[in-house]
Amino acid sequence: MRVSRLMLVTLRDDPAEAEIPSHKLLLRAGYIRRVGSGIYAYLPLLWRVLQKISAIVREELNATGALETLLPQLQPAELWQRSGRWAGYTAGEGIMFHLEDRQGRELGLGPTHEEVITALAGDLLRSYRQLPVNLYQIQTKFRDEIRPRFGLMRGREFIMKDAYSFHASEDCLKQTYGAMDQAYRRIFSRCGLRAVAVEADSGAIGGSASQEFMVTAEAGEDLILASGDGSYAANQERAVSLPAEALALPGGARNGGAGEALATPAQTSIEALCNAHGFAASQTVKVLLLLARFEDGAQLPVLVSLRGDQELNDVKLANALTSRCSGEHGTLLDVAPLTAEAATKEGLGPIPFGFMGPHLSDALLAGARSWQPRFLRLADTTATALESFVCGANSADTHLVGAAWGALCAAPESLDLRAAQPGDRCLHDPSQQLEASRGIEVGHIFQLGRKYSAALDATFTNESGQEEPLWMGCYGIGVSRLAQAAVEQHHDANGICWPTAIAPFEVIVVIANSADAEQVSLAEQLYEQLLSAGVDVLLDDRSERAGVKFKDADLLGIPWRLVVGRGAATGVVELVQRASGEKRELPAAEAQAALLGSLQAERSGLLVA
């Protein structure tokens, strides 16, 4: 391929829309162009990268025995309604693009394909003799992001590899889950990425166990918490830890545990309360009031008690609400802090925001027009473990000192609702502390169990002749996201530094002076020889200044550069490795041999470029 025929347009300055290095570089180097909010065109250079990533994915999945297929992007709502996810994906998070056809039938553009593949499996897989089966596709997906950002990292349209396995037993599912785990590790390694596997929350996909694969990068949206000994790592949404020990409250329980009133004018935050009276945050209990909305229209006020030095983990709370309420009320649509304005609209009296205690009375909800008339009361274990504490008195400008569970009110149901933090002690070894790093999720694998097969009546006949639901797993890789994650992990001040395995080209031959016949002749000769040797080579044959070509070569990030310049008269060229910046002047034949040797080593996995 010649640069003159590549439709290459590079930008000197960072586009205003781009926030992180990888997004800036992909735009500047002519890999992508924005078409609309969260919608990008993959230009020829990036399409070559995506094809190479897809080829690696296919090779590794085919090696496990998985079968490639292609499923429809347009999916009938009826399947999603049967699985119970339609409301959550449309009215809840609202991430699914959905529409009605001319006959009034509801359809969705698939962000994922569990429902479609499960319905097909229910039709096709009728006996244990047909199992296990693992099907995968590389497909464009859609997600109606509220705030698309970071280019391909969080777009409204993206390329994904998703696989779905079907089994006759849970043990067989676990075996395939393990095999896919290893396949994923090979995929990311072959793509030249430093990826870490972490425990993860299953989210809207569901299932009993899941694991994310994170590419470590400062611009990552996810916080990874890991032990220093390497034996534990988890996304913060899923992470567990031992909190710091609470300081005992001087004087312990007061007034029989009912607490003594303390004037706290305008001290509505834990920080203000502690600063004014010398309390430690771990001696306090803070109370959060939230409203959970469900598929059946139910709106449930939720009262959550946390130790004052802890933060609520929204994902753990959502999981707790789902497990306790979805049987009666259907899918949890959302849970958000309840505001004074919302309480007033609901017809409630004044709520003492900033001074609430865990004993807030259900009587406050007596006049509610549409909310449930009782609080669902939950507490983090750090709060219920306190023998005595400071909390709101449910009266403006007043707190209680020396309150205790039992005397003040019954302790709420105790759960792990706190967000683990860097510096927390590890459960497996309290001498270890959690350390933080940022990561970009590029893969996620799940043990789904029978969630979808039971909902969609996808059954098989077992060895005993009995019908039972299929066991399922699912496994995703963000192909387009992986490409940008590679840039985020492999770049410098001058541009991209692609890993050779997924680079759009392995070598770029640069003619320093296109007006010099000797340089052009030698460059053309090297170009043809490299093509004949099976090298993915790009020839910069433009009539631009050498400096412009060198800057573009660095920006594009091609792993190797052969510069044909003034030494062409004596047959000498310059060989440059993009990642290290190492330069060598060699006779053309030697440079070509050295280059072919390096490429062979990289392809064999003996050398990482």
Side-chain angles (χ1 to χ4, degrees), residues 109-184:
L109 282 174
T112 184
H113 277 75
E114 283 80 11
E115 282 78 5
V116 169
I117 196 71
T118 304
L120 289 171
D123 288 340
L124 299 171
L125 303 175
R126 305 303 304 158
S127 168
Y128 72 93
R129 295 187 180 89
Q130 296 173 272
L131 303 171
V133 169
N134 191 1
L135 298 164
Y136 77 93
Q137 63 172 344
I138 297 176
Q139 168 74 283
T140 297
K141 307 281 183 152
F142 302 89
R143 186 181 173 100
D144 190 5
E145 291 284 356
I146 295 175
R147 188 190 170 202
R149 59 194 306 220
F150 301 153
L152 307 183
M153 294 292 191
R154 188 167 290 281
R156 305 173 99 186
E157 179 178 316
F158 51 95
I159 298 175
M160 182 176 174
K161 185 285 301 174
D162 48 326
Y164 306 90
S165 62
F166 299 90
H167 311 268
S169 69
E170 186 175 16
D171 285 343
C172 183
L173 163 60
K174 289 179 178 179
Q175 290 174 13
T176 297
Y177 183 86
M180 293 295 279
D181 170 272
Q182 293 303 307
Y184 272 41

Side-chain angles (χ1 to χ4, degrees), residues 252-260 387-389 400-409:
R254 304 182 189 181
N255 195 20
E260 294 179 352
E387 294 183 3
S388 59
F389 49 86
L400 296 176
V401 181
W405 300 113
L408 179 70
C409 63

Side-chain angles (χ1 to χ4, degrees), residues 27-212:
L27 285 166
R28 285 186 54 210
Y31 283 87
I32 60 174
R33 276 294 181 274
R34 183 178 181 274
V35 176
S37 177
I39 305 170
Y40 287 86
Y42 309 129
L43 299 180
L45 279 172
L46 187 67
W47 187 243
R48 294 178 68 91
V49 173
L50 296 174
Q51 286 178 312
K52 290 188 175 184
I53 294 171
S54 297
I56 292 172
V57 170
R58 284 189 171 98
E59 287 174 15
E60 292 295 342
L61 290 192
N62 291 345
T64 69
L67 305 170
E68 186 169 8
T69 186
L70 188 62
L71 302 172
Q73 296 172 331
L74 204 56
Q75 304 181 26
E78 185 267 337
L79 290 176
W80 286 72
Q81 289 162 349
R82 287 172 61 192
S83 73
R85 293 205 299 173
W86 179 257
Y89 270 75
T90 55
E93 287 186 82
I95 63 171
M96 180 188 277
F97 288 102
H98 54 287
L99 62 140
E100 282 190 4
D101 67 12
R102 297 173 193 231
Q103 285 74 41
R105 292 172 296 209
E106 290 186 295
L107 301 156
L109 282 174
T112 184
H113 277 75
E114 283 80 11
E115 282 78 5
V116 169
I117 196 71
T118 304
L120 289 171
D123 288 340
L124 299 171
L125 303 175
R126 305 303 304 158
S127 168
Y128 72 93
R129 295 187 180 89
Q130 296 173 272
L131 303 171
V133 169
N134 191 1
L135 298 164
Y136 77 93
Q137 63 172 344
I138 297 176
Q139 168 74 283
T140 297
K141 307 281 183 152
F142 302 89
R143 186 181 173 100
D144 190 5
E145 291 284 356
I146 295 175
R147 188 190 170 202
R149 59 194 306 220
F150 301 153
L152 307 183
M153 294 292 191
R154 188 167 290 281
R156 305 173 99 186
E157 179 178 316
F158 51 95
I159 298 175
M160 182 176 174
K161 185 285 301 174
D162 48 326
Y164 306 90
S165 62
F166 299 90
H167 311 268
S169 69
E170 186 175 16
D171 285 343
C172 183
L173 163 60
K174 289 179 178 179
Q175 290 174 13
T176 297
Y177 183 86
M180 293 295 279
D181 170 272
Q182 293 303 307
Y184 272 41
R185 293 172 192 265
R186 291 192 298 271
I187 288 167
F188 300 132
S189 176
R190 288 182 60 186
C191 288
L193 298 176
R194 299 184 302 276
V196 58
V198 304
E199 291 183 15
D201 181 74
S202 296
I205 302 294
S208 60
S210 76
Q211 184 172 255
E212 288 175 339

Side-chain angles (χ1 to χ4, degrees), residues 499-571:
T500 302
I502 62 173
F505 295 93
E506 296 169 307
V507 181
I508 182 169
V509 178
V510 177
I511 306 171
N513 182 3
S514 296
D516 186 312
E518 287 185 325
Q519 291 184 28
V520 171
S521 176
L522 181 56
E524 291 282 359
Q525 179 184 336
L526 287 168
Y527 173 66
E528 293 297 336
Q529 289 172 345
L530 290 170
L531 282 177
S532 297
V535 175
D536 221 350
V537 59
L538 178 65
L539 175 65
D540 193 344
D541 58 342
R542 295 175 296 170
S543 299
E544 292 281 359
R545 298 189 314 274
V548 172
K549 294 182 179 182
F550 296 156
K551 282 186 176 295
D552 279 351
D554 282 342
L555 182 60
L556 293 176
I558 310 302
W560 294 93
R561 183 165 81 225
L562 270 176
V563 180
V564 181
R566 294 175 181 174
T570 56

Side-chain angles (χ1 to χ4, degrees), residues 264-285:
T264 55
Q267 295 160 23
T268 57
S269 69
I270 295 295
E271 182 181 9
L273 175 68
C274 292
N275 288 342
H277 302 281
F279 299 126
S282 65
Q283 296 168 333
T284 68
V285 168

Side-chain angles (χ1 to χ4, degrees), residues 467-486:
E467 290 282 316
E468 61 174 291
L470 292 156
W471 291 88
M472 286 182 62
C474 77
Y475 320 89
I477 287 178
V479 174
S480 50
R481 173 179 273 226
L482 191 154
Q484 185 169 333

